[in-house]
């Protein structure tokens, strides 16, 4: 793999050398910054890329240059986290080697917390559930029943090897899926994930309108094949998020919500259909396994 250039053009990371490139936004209350890590051919995307992406406005469609169907798999039951990671690692390697096709895998996990590459121990408030160190970018997050996990294994070499454009496309996909249920999801320059304005909740100390996160993004890319992915809150137990500071964002007027919390009584199957319908215009058509 060739040297990786930080999108901020602040440094180059030679192949095989692990270095962390950061650019913390001055005065950011959330303390987020841009961070990429290159280690053994892998790129990890951490919290805080949004501000840069919003300024540059990359393309929101990441279609393959040669038309092909993306495999779409839905797993029933609760999939153990370590099993899912092992599968993704193997599948990403096979995709990079040209031995397997692209795959989008929808599932649910049993209750657990994952710590991304930027996680701080202080943000684990109470280890109510098992805690796993994750290779994805980001900080602490919760996974559990009622939350649709979507692991996205796409070959960006066949599409557009541009991380900013890819993450922007993932956000656009989530926002489009939420719109199916008349929920207005929005991105924020200094906060990771997809957010929903909550004017019905107490405002911030400076009069800011409250906002809740309804979807999270945490991606890893190796040899330009993505894995890990997104998490959409359909109907999880929101109280389970209280054991962590999600993505390190502790301000009182920023919280977590779900479709059910917003009054949308969508089933998991209906959420899956919305995700699949809105995936196609951005990433290409799928075939159900």
């Amino acid at each position: 793999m060739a040297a990786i250039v930080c999108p901020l053009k602040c440094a180059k990371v030679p192949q095989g050398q692990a270095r962390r490139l950061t650019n913390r936004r001055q005065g950011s209350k959330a303390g987020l910054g841009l961070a990429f890590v290159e280690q053994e051919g892998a790129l990890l995307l951490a919290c805080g890329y949004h501000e840069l992406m919003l300024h540059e406005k990359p393309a929101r469609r990441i279609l393959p240059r040669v038309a092909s169907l993306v495999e779409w798999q839905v797993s029933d039951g609760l999939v153990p986290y370590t099993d899912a990671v092992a599968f993704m690692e193997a599948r990403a390697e096979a995709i990079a080697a040209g031995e397997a096709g692209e795959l989008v895998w929808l599932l649910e996990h049993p209750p657990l917390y994952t710590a991304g590459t930027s996680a701080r121990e202080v943000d684990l408030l109470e280890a109510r559930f098992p805690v796993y160190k994750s290779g994805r970018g980001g900080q602490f997050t919760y996974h559990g029943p009622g939350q649709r996990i979507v692991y996205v294994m796409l070959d960006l070499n066949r599409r557009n090897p541009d991380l900013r454009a890819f993450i922007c496309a993932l956000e656009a996909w989530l926002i489009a899926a939420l719109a199916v249920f008349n929920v207005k999801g929005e991105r924020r320059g200094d906060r990771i994930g997809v957010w929903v304005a909550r004017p019905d909740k107490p405002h911030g100390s400076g009069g800011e309108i409250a906002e809740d996160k309804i979807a999270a993004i945490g991606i890893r890319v190796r040899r330009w094949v993505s894995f890990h992915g997104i998490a959409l809150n359909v109907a999880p137990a929101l109280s389970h998020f209280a054991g962590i500071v999600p993505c390190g964002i502790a301000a009182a007027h920023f919280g977590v919500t779900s479709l059910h919390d917003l009054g949308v009584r969508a089933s998991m199957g209906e959420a899956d259909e919305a995700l699949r319908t809105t995936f196609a215009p951005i990433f290409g058509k799928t075939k159900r396994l």
Side-chain angles (χ1 to χ4, degrees):
M1 185 178 72
I4 303 302
V5 182
C6 172
L8 293 172
K9 296 182 173 63
C10 59
K12 292 183 179 180
V13 181
Q15 181 178 6
Q17 180 180 356
R19 292 177 61 187
R20 182 178 178 119
L21 308 177
T22 60
N23 181 34
R24 292 197 174 275
R25 178 173 178 260
Q26 297 298 319
S28 172
K29 294 181 180 180
L32 300 181
L34 183 72
F36 290 92
V37 177
E38 192 276 338
Q39 185 173 14
E40 296 179 356
L43 288 171
L44 314 179
L45 181 58
C47 293
Y49 54 81
H50 287 66
E51 185 176 12
L52 176 69
M53 289 200 307
L54 286 171
H55 289 169
E56 300 202 4
K57 296 182 180 179
R60 295 185 180 181
R61 299 177 68 191
I62 309 292
L63 296 170
R65 287 187 291 271
V66 177
S68 60
L69 297 178
V70 177
E71 295 178 4
W72 187 272
Q73 179 176 335
V74 180
S75 290
D76 297 326
L78 302 180
V79 179
Y81 185 73
T82 53
D83 291 354
V85 172
F87 176 86
M88 283 191 291
E89 293 265 0
R91 183 63 177 242
E93 287 295 329
I95 293 171
E99 298 170 354
E102 296 177 310
L103 173 67
V104 174
W105 184 21
L106 291 77
L107 55 91
E108 293 175 84
H109 286 308
L112 58 91
Y113 298 127
T114 65
T117 57
S118 301
R120 303 176 300 174
E121 289 299 325
V122 68
D123 289 334
L124 179 60
L125 306 179
E126 181 184 355
R128 302 180 181 182
F129 309 111
V131 180
Y132 297 92
K133 289 188 176 180
S134 172
R136 63 163 174 80
Q139 301 189 39
F140 278 104
T141 194
Y142 165 78
H143 296 318
Q147 183 188 67
R148 178 50 89 203
I149 303 297
V150 186
Y151 289 135
V152 183
M153 288 156 270
L154 298 180
D155 186 352
L156 300 185
N157 271 316
R158 299 180 54 247
R159 295 168 174 271
N160 179 10
D162 183 325
L163 285 171
R164 291 166 294 170
F166 178 52
I167 300 300
C168 192
L170 290 175
E171 287 185 317
W173 174 30
L174 282 164
I175 290 169
L178 290 169
V180 172
F181 302 104
N182 295 315
V183 172
K184 185 180 181 181
E186 299 177 284
R187 69 188 79 198
R188 291 291 179 260
D190 58 349
R191 280 177 274 123
I192 197 168
V194 175
W195 296 77
V196 177
R198 302 299 302 269
D200 54 311
K201 289 189 171 184
H203 290 198
S205 59
E208 304 92 342
I209 293 177
E211 297 183 15
D212 288 342
K213 185 166 68 172
I214 194 169
I217 299 173
I219 289 293
R220 182 166 183 167
V221 176
R222 177 181 293 138
R223 295 171 62 189
W224 288 112
V225 175
S226 68
F227 53 113
H228 293 278
I230 63 175
L232 173 63
N233 295 334
V234 178
L238 296 180
S239 62
H240 290 178
F241 285 89
I244 58 172
V245 178
C247 267
I249 302 172
H253 62 292
F254 296 144
V256 181
T257 191
S258 67
L259 288 175
H260 280 211
D261 183 51
L262 295 172
V264 178
R265 299 298 173 182
S267 67
M268 192 65 75
E270 290 170 331
D272 291 349
E273 185 58 32
L275 286 166
R276 189 178 184 190
T277 299
T278 53
F279 179 91
I282 300 172
F283 296 101
K285 295 181 179 180
T286 62
K287 61 178 179 181
R288 180 73 179 265
L289 295 181

